Amino acid sequence: MREHKYDPVTPAVAEALRKIVGDKYVVFGDAEKLEPYSHDEVAEAEYAHSPECLVRPGSAEEIAAILKLANREHIPVTPRGAGSGLSGGAVPLYGGVVLLMDRMNRILEIDAENMMIVVEPGLVTNEINDKIRDLGLFYAGYPMSLETCFIGGNVAENAGGGKAVKYGVTGRYVTGLEMVTPTGEIVTLGGKLVKDVTGYNLVGLMVGSEGTLGVFTKITLKLMPLPKASVDLLVLFPTAEAAIAAVPQIMTGGGVIPTAVEFMDQTSVQAACEYLNESIPYQQAGAMLLITGDGSAPNPVERDYEAIGQQCLSAGAIEVYVADNYTTSERIWKVRRNIAEAFKVVSPHQSLEDIVVPIANIPAMVAGLAELSKKYDVAFPCYGHAGDGNLHATPVMNPTWTVDRWHQTLPAILTDLYKLTASLGGTISGEHGIGHKRKGYMPLVCSAAHIEVMRAIKRALDPNNILNPGKIFDV
Amino acid sequence: MREHKYDPVTPAVAEALRKIVGDKYVVFGDAEKLEPYSHDEVAEAEYAHSPECLVRPGSAEEIAAILKLANREHIPVTPRGAGSGLSGGAVPLYGGVVLLMDRMNRILEIDAENMMIVVEPGLVTNEINDKIRDLGLFYAGYPMSLETCFIGGNVAENAGGGKAVKYGVTGRYVTGLEMVTPTGEIVTLGGKLVKDVTGYNLVGLMVGSEGTLGVFTKITLKLMPLPKASVDLLVLFPTAEAAIAAVPQIMTGGGVIPTAVEFMDQTSVQAACEYLNESIPYQQAGAMLLITGDGSAPNPVERDYEAIGQQCLSAGAIEVYVADNYTTSERIWKVRRNIAEAFKVVSPHQSLEDIVVPIANIPAMVAGLAELSKKYDVAFPCYGHAGDGNLHATPVMNPTWTVDRWHQTLPAILTDLYKLTASLGGTISGEHGIGHKRKGYMPLVCSAAHIEVMRAIKRALDPNNILNPGKIFDV
C-alpha cells in the first residue's frame, strides 16, 4: 500500500469520469466551483482542502465504476452529503474526487405494512417524516440538522437525534444497506428485517464508518408508530449546576424514559434567541432543561410529565413551562436547534465539541468545564443532549486574544477537555464523529491495540486507501 | 495463512496451558471428559467434534496468553458459554482448545445511577434480572433460554429476546465490551455510554460475530426501567393461517408496538404441554398468538391490549384469554419457552430453523411452509417470534423414513426453505446464528462480494485463523 501518495486527477481521468456519469455531472479544473466542497460545517480554514474534481453520480453502478477507476488510478474519493457534518468527514483531505450524493435523493419505497422506508442517501432527512406522517408513522432517528442534512450522511456518521434518549440514534433504525465497497463491488446488506444474524453485523459496522468503508446507495429504515400524544417541558433552573444535577434523577427516578432531555445554559439560549429574534424567558434562568415525552395516549403522557415537572421543582427549578401544542413546542425546539448556528455569529473562533459521559457523571463534567474555563480564561458555553450524557461544550476564543493565540492554545484546551471526559468514563464524540478534526486526539480515548483493530479493518476493505483517506486514524 | 491445517495440542502445549490457568482448569487427553464439549444444542452427531483440550480461564490476561500461545503453536481456540447455542457456534470443528467461560461469571458492577450493569461473559443471563428487579430496573435483551444460557454467548450470537418486538435484541443493550482479540491483545470498546461514535462501531461488529473475532471478558449492558404494568393475551385462532394473518395488523394497526407477539401452531403447543404436563386449552385451536404488552402504568396498557384483543377477534380469533398476573403469565410463557426442548422428545430427527422475513410476508411464508410440507411429506411444525418475522419452522423426519433418507433429503428441504425465505426478502437466521450448521447455505442469501467482505475482516483480525475457525464461512 502506498502511503498518502496519491496520483493527480488528470484531464484523462476527468474524461473517464465524464464517460461514467455524463458531462454535466463533473466539475474539473474550476477552483471557484470546487471551493464549496473543500469544507463542511467545521468553519476553521485549517481543516479545509479542495477536491480536484467533483462528481455527482446517479446510481450504484456509476459509483462502482468510479471506485474501480480510482483504485486503478490511485485517486482518493470522498463521499459527501449535504456538507452539514461537524468533524470534517466530507473534506477531501488529499484532493482527488468528491462524490456528491445530491442526485440520488429519491424515496424508493414507503412500505407501511412492514413499517419500513427505502431511500437514497441524498434525501434531505426531514422529507422522510414529511412523507410518512399521514400514514401514522415516523422516523425516530433524525438529528438536529434535519432540515438540511442528508440521510446518507446521518448513516455515515451515526447521527444522534432529538429523540435519542427514548428512541436511540440513526443506527438503531438502519436495517438494510446497499453500498459500494471501496474496491467497487456493490453489496446488499440486511433488508426489511428487524432481526438478522446472518453473518457479521456489517450494517452495524458501516453505520458510523464516516464514509471510509463504503458508499451507501440505498438505505432501509425501520419506522415507528407516530406517537399520539407528546408534551414538552421547558424547565428553568437558577444555575447550570442545578439543571444538570436534576438530569440523572429525571432519567432514573420516574421509571419512564423521556423522549428527550436537552440542556441549554444561559449563554446558549441567549445566543439562539438573539439569532432567531425569539423571546423565551431566559433572562431569569442560569440554565434550562427541555424535556419531551411522548406516548400512545395523552393521559398517561401528561401524568408522567407532571411527575417529572414536580421532580424538577423539588430539584430546585424556578419554573416549569408546559408546551402541549405543536406551535409552542416548535418555537422552543427551534431555539435548541439553532444554538450551533447562533454561536457562529457570536464568534467565528470556537470549537464545537461533542463529548459524551455516563449520565451520572454529567454534574462532574459540568463542574470540570467551569474549571477549564477559569484555567484557560475562555468562555465554555454548553448545551446538548443531557439525557444521553452528550454535551456540546464549546470553547470560544477570548475576545481579547489574537487568533494566533487561540490556535496555539486550543489543542491544550481540547486535550484537557478530552482527558477530563476520559477520566469520567466518557469519550470524545457522541454523534458528530472523528473525521480529521478529532483524529489526533483518538489516542486519549482508544488504546493503540483498539486503533489497530480499526486500521486492520480499513486496510482489509480498502487496500489502496482510496475511500475518504485520512479520517478517524491514519493508515 | 495455512488453511485448516492446525497443529495438534501436544503434552508440551497442554503443560503451557496449565501454567497459564492452573492445573485444575485444564482437561487434556481424557476423551470422556472432553466429549460434552463436542456439541451444543444442535443434536445431530454430524455437527459434533471433540476438542483436544478444555481450558477454563479466569481472566482476560489468561485468555490473552492462551491466544498468543495458540497463534504461536497454530492451534485453534473455540470459546464456549453454556453450550445452549443452536447453530454449532461453540463446536471446536478442528479440535484444539475449547475455552470454557464458566469461571468468569461475576456481576462486576450494578450501576443504578447510570442504568448500566457490568458482567463477565460466563454469567447465567437470568441472574441479571434476578439481581436488579428490586432496583426497579430490567435487562430487556434476554433470550428464551435465559435460565441456562450465558450472557457472553448471547452477545456472541446477538441472541433474540422474548421482548424483542418492543425492546430489540441483545445488541441494542451492549454499550461496552472488554475483549481479547484473536492475536491476544486486550481491548476496551465503548463504555457506559448510550451514544458513542468514536471510531468504528466495533461493539456492533463484535456482537453476533459468533466467537470468531474476539473473546469477550467484560460486558457492559444498558438497563431499562422495570415496567410497572404488563399484560399477556393468549389468543386462540382456528388455523395457523388465520393467526398469522392477524400479525401484521396487530403490529401496524394500533399505533402501539407490543412487547412480544409469539406464534405457536397446534403441534408446537401440544408438544410443549405434554412435555410440561401443562393444560392450556390448545385442542380447540389450530394456532395461538401470545401477545404481551407493558408500560409505566396499568390503565393505558390494559386499554391498548383490550384494543388488540378486539382486533384479534375481528381477525377471526376464537377466544382471547387475558393473563394479568405473574403466575398465569409465567405458565403460558413456560409453554412457549419449552417448545424446542419438547420437540427433541417428539423426534430426535429434526432441524430447528430460524428464518426471518419482513413481517408483512409472514402469511406468505406460512403458506409456503405448508407447500414444502406437502412436497417433501414431512411435518413442518412452526412457532416463533411472529412480531419480528422470525419463525422457528422445524422440519421433522417422517416417522416412516429411515434416518439415512432423512439425512439425504434434509439439504433439499433446507435449500427450498431458504430459497423461499430469500424470495420473500428474508434470510436464514434471525437469532440462532450461522455457525457451521448453516454455513453451506450462506450463498443462498449473501452474494460472493458480501461474503468476501466478511472474510476480509476475519483475515485482518485473525491472520492465522485461530479463533473459532470454520464458522459462518470458510476462510
Side-chain angles (χ1 to χ4, degrees):
Chain A
M1 193 190 306
R2 281 181 280 180
E3 263 184 57
H4 303 161
K5 290 188 185 77
Y6 294 97
D7 290 326
V9 179
T10 60
V13 168
E15 191 48 39
L17 291 165
R18 284 194 189 97
K19 283 223 172 88
I20 295 171
V21 298
D23 279 3
K24 62 179 171 181
Y25 298 123
V26 174
V27 177
F28 175 65
D30 185 333
E32 202 178 326
K33 280 194 180 153
L34 292 172
E35 190 282 334
Y37 305 98
S38 67
H39 64 87
D40 60 6
E41 288 291 315
V42 177
E44 293 94 330
E46 63 191 285
Y47 295 112
H49 194 288
S50 264
E52 295 158 74
C53 187
L54 179 77
V55 179
R56 298 170 59 213
S59 70
E61 290 70 22
E62 289 179 7
I63 295 168
I66 293 164
L67 283 169
K68 282 186 196 288
L69 177 75
N71 274 280
R72 275 198 309 274
E73 301 288 343
H74 206 248
I75 289 164
V77 174
T78 301
R80 181 184 177 95
S84 56
L86 292 161
S87 53
V91 174
L93 212 48
Y94 299 103
V97 170
V98 157
L99 208 61
L100 184 64
M101 302 302 290
D102 64 338
R103 289 176 62 212
M104 295 178 66
N105 63 351
R106 292 173 301 170
I107 292 178
L108 299 172
E109 189 190 358
I110 296 173
D111 182 348
E113 268 192 295
N114 281 309
M115 300 176 76
M116 295 275 177
I117 190 167
V118 185
V119 300
E120 288 186 321
L123 182 72
V124 172
T125 306
N126 210 22
E127 288 191 26
I128 297 172
N129 279 322
D130 281 352
K131 290 278 159 47
I132 62 178
R133 196 171 289 119
D134 290 348
L135 299 168
L137 294 170
F138 93 116
Y139 166 58
Y142 64 83
M144 287 298 180
S145 55
L146 77 166
E147 288 151 2
T148 50
C149 62
F150 290 177
I151 185 68
N154 298 168
V155 176
E157 300 292 327
N158 196 13
K163 296 177 187 288
V165 182
K166 177 170 175 177
Y167 291 102
V169 295
T170 303
R172 186 186 292 179
Y173 298 93
V174 182
T175 64
L177 287 174
E178 180 192 83
M179 62 165 238
V180 186
T181 67
T183 53
E185 306 295 327
I186 301 172
V187 296
T188 302
L189 310 174
K192 293 177 183 172
L193 302 171
V194 291
K195 287 163 81 175
D196 181 1
V197 293
T198 308
Y200 294 159
N201 176 14
L202 295 182
V203 171
L205 175 65
M206 292 302 154
V207 172
S209 61
E210 304 197 9
T212 67
L213 296 180
V215 180
F216 311 138
T217 51
K218 276 184 202 169
I219 298 162
T220 303
L221 298 170
K222 181 175 168 343
L223 305 174
M224 298 291 285
L226 187 66
K228 288 175 183 159
S230 86
V231 62
D232 294 285
L233 304 181
L234 185 66
V235 187
L236 278 52
F237 286 87
T239 62
E241 289 70 20
I244 279 295
V247 173
Q249 237 171 295
I250 294 164
M251 292 294 298
T252 60
V256 176
I257 296 281
T259 309
V261 182
E262 296 291 316
F263 168 78
M264 306 179 269
D265 69 9
Q266 194 182 31
T267 317
S268 306
V269 181
Q270 183 172 350
C273 283
E274 283 167 7
Y275 178 72
L276 294 168
N277 200 17
E278 170 60 82
S279 61
I280 63 173
Y282 60 82
Q283 288 87 350
Q284 49 174 317
M288 298 183 185
L289 294 181
L290 171 51
I291 305 167
T292 303
D294 66 16
S296 62
N299 289 354
V301 172
E302 281 163 21
R303 199 190 43 240
D304 286 345
Y305 287 82
E306 258 169 47
I308 287 178
Q310 281 303 327
Q311 268 186 308
C312 290
L313 289 170
S314 310
I318 305 169
E319 192 90 63
V320 178
Y321 295 97
V322 180
D324 55 3
N325 63 74
Y326 181 78
T327 316
T328 319
S329 167
E330 184 52 24
R331 261 182 66 196
I332 303 172
W333 273 97
K334 206 169 173 187
V335 169
R336 167 60 190 88
R337 284 203 302 269
N338 279 274
I339 295 173
E341 278 304 304
F343 272 153
K344 284 195 200 155
V345 179
V346 173
S347 168
H349 305 297
Q350 49 163 305
S351 185
L352 171 52
E353 294 306 314
D354 183 38
I355 53 166
V356 59
V357 293
I359 52 170
N361 294 345
I362 303 177
M365 189 72 227
V366 169
L369 290 176
E371 275 172 43
L372 281 183
S373 174
K374 210 180 288 175
K375 173 175 175 184
Y376 286 101
D377 195 19
V378 295
F380 235 119
C382 183
Y383 63 100
H385 315 289
D388 302 318
N390 183 202
L391 295 177
H392 300 313
T394 305
V396 178
M397 187 181 90
N398 183 321
T400 69
W401 289 6
T402 62
V403 173
D404 268 0
R405 182 172 168 192
W406 167 246
H407 281 139
Q408 279 157 21
T409 315
L410 185 59
I413 300 175
L414 294 181
T415 301
D416 269 11
L417 174 67
Y418 295 157
K419 281 184 177 172
L420 171 65
T421 308
S423 76
L424 293 170
T427 188
I428 64 178
S429 184
E431 57 180 22
H432 295 170
I434 301 305
H436 61 302
K437 186 182 167 182
R438 298 188 179 89
K439 181 173 66 173
Y441 300 97
M442 285 286 275
L444 295 178
V445 287
C446 299
S447 69
H450 179 170
I451 296 173
E452 189 46 39
V453 171
M454 295 194 249
R455 275 202 194 103
I457 291 171
K458 171 67 173 170
R459 273 188 226 111
L461 301 192
D462 187 9
N464 295 314
N465 200 21
I466 284 301
L467 195 61
N468 205 4
K471 303 301 168 60
I472 310 177
F473 44 75
D474 287 310
V475 175
Chain B
M1 195 188 308
R2 281 181 281 181
E3 265 183 58
H4 303 164
K5 291 189 184 76
Y6 294 97
D7 290 327
V9 179
T10 60
V13 168
E15 192 48 39
L17 290 166
R18 283 193 192 100
K19 283 225 172 86
I20 296 171
V21 298
D23 279 5
K24 61 180 170 179
Y25 299 123
V26 173
V27 177
F28 175 66
D30 184 334
E32 201 178 327
K33 281 195 180 152
L34 292 171
E35 190 281 335
Y37 305 98
S38 68
H39 63 87
D40 60 5
E41 287 292 315
V42 177
E44 293 94 329
E46 63 190 285
Y47 295 112
H49 194 287
S50 263
E52 296 157 73
C53 186
L54 179 77
V55 179
R56 298 170 59 214
S59 70
E61 289 69 23
E62 289 180 6
I63 295 168
I66 293 164
L67 284 167
K68 283 187 195 289
L69 176 77
N71 273 279
R72 274 197 310 273
E73 301 289 342
H74 206 248
I75 288 164
V77 174
T78 300
R80 180 184 178 96
S84 56
L86 291 161
S87 52
V91 174
L93 212 48
Y94 300 103
V97 169
V98 157
L99 208 59
L100 185 64
M101 303 302 291
D102 65 340
R103 288 178 62 212
M104 295 177 68
N105 65 349
R106 291 173 301 168
I107 293 180
L108 299 173
E109 189 190 358
I110 297 175
D111 181 349
E113 267 194 294
N114 281 309
M115 299 174 78
M116 296 275 175
I117 190 167
V118 185
V119 300
E120 289 186 320
L123 182 73
V124 172
T125 306
N126 210 23
E127 288 191 27
I128 298 173
N129 278 323
D130 281 351
K131 289 280 159 47
I132 62 178
R133 196 172 290 119
D134 290 346
L135 299 168
L137 294 169
F138 92 115
Y139 167 59
Y142 64 85
M144 287 299 181
S145 54
L146 76 167
E147 289 150 3
T148 50
C149 62
F150 289 177
I151 185 68
N154 297 169
V155 176
E157 300 291 327
N158 196 12
K163 297 176 185 288
V165 182
K166 177 171 176 179
Y167 290 101
V169 295
T170 304
R172 186 186 290 179
Y173 298 93
V174 183
T175 65
L177 286 174
E178 180 192 84
M179 59 165 242
V180 186
T181 67
T183 53
E185 305 296 326
I186 301 172
V187 295
T188 302
L189 310 174
K192 293 177 183 173
L193 302 170
V194 291
K195 288 163 80 176
D196 181 1
V197 293
T198 307
Y200 295 159
N201 176 15
L202 296 182
V203 171
L205 175 64
M206 292 302 152
V207 172
S209 61
E210 303 194 11
T212 67
L213 297 180
V215 181
F216 311 139
T217 50
K218 277 184 201 168
I219 299 163
T220 303
L221 298 169
K222 182 176 166 345
L223 305 174
M224 298 292 284
L226 186 68
K228 290 176 181 158
S230 86
V231 61
D232 294 286
L233 305 180
L234 184 66
V235 188
L236 278 52
F237 287 87
T239 62
E241 289 71 19
I244 279 294
V247 173
Q249 237 172 296
I250 293 163
M251 292 293 298
T252 61
V256 176
I257 298 279
T259 309
V261 182
E262 297 290 316
F263 168 79
M264 306 177 268
D265 68 9
Q266 194 181 33
T267 317
S268 306
V269 181
Q270 183 170 351
C273 284
E274 284 168 6
Y275 177 71
L276 294 168
N277 201 18
E278 170 59 86
S279 61
I280 64 173
Y282 60 82
Q283 289 85 352
Q284 49 174 318
M288 299 183 186
L289 294 181
L290 170 53
I291 305 167
T292 302
D294 66 19
S296 62
N299 289 353
V301 171
E302 281 164 20
R303 201 190 42 240
D304 286 346
Y305 287 81
E306 259 169 44
I308 288 178
Q310 281 303 327
Q311 269 186 309
C312 289
L313 289 170
S314 310
I318 304 168
E319 192 90 61
V320 178
Y321 295 97
V322 181
D324 54 6
N325 63 73
Y326 181 78
T327 316
T328 319
S329 169
E330 185 51 26
R331 261 183 66 197
I332 303 172
W333 273 98
K334 205 168 174 188
V335 170
R336 166 60 190 88
R337 284 202 302 269
N338 279 276
I339 295 173
E341 278 304 303
F343 272 155
K344 283 196 199 153
V345 178
V346 173
S347 168
H349 304 297
Q350 49 163 308
S351 185
L352 172 52
E353 294 306 316
D354 183 39
I355 53 167
V356 57
V357 294
I359 52 170
N361 293 345
I362 303 176
M365 188 72 227
V366 169
L369 289 176
E371 276 172 43
L372 280 183
S373 173
K374 210 181 287 175
K375 175 175 172 185
Y376 287 101
D377 196 18
V378 293
F380 234 120
C382 184
Y383 64 97
H385 316 288
D388 302 317
N390 183 203
L391 296 176
H392 300 312
T394 304
V396 177
M397 187 182 91
N398 182 322
T400 69
W401 289 6
T402 62
V403 172
D404 268 358
R405 183 172 168 192
W406 168 244
H407 281 140
Q408 280 156 21
T409 314
L410 185 59
I413 299 175
L414 292 182
T415 300
D416 269 12
L417 173 68
Y418 295 157
K419 282 184 175 171
L420 170 65
T421 307
S423 76
L424 294 170
T427 189
I428 63 178
S429 183
E431 57 179 23
H432 294 171
I434 301 303
H436 61 301
K437 185 180 168 181
R438 298 187 179 89
K439 181 172 70 173
Y441 300 96
M442 284 286 275
L444 295 177
V445 287
C446 298
S447 69
H450 179 170
I451 296 173
E452 189 45 39
V453 171
M454 294 193 251
R455 273 200 194 105
I457 292 171
K458 172 67 173 171
R459 271 189 227 110
L461 301 192
D462 187 9
N464 295 317
N465 201 22
I466 284 300
L467 194 62
N468 206 1
K471 302 300 169 63
I472 310 177
F473 43 76
D474 285 310
V475 176

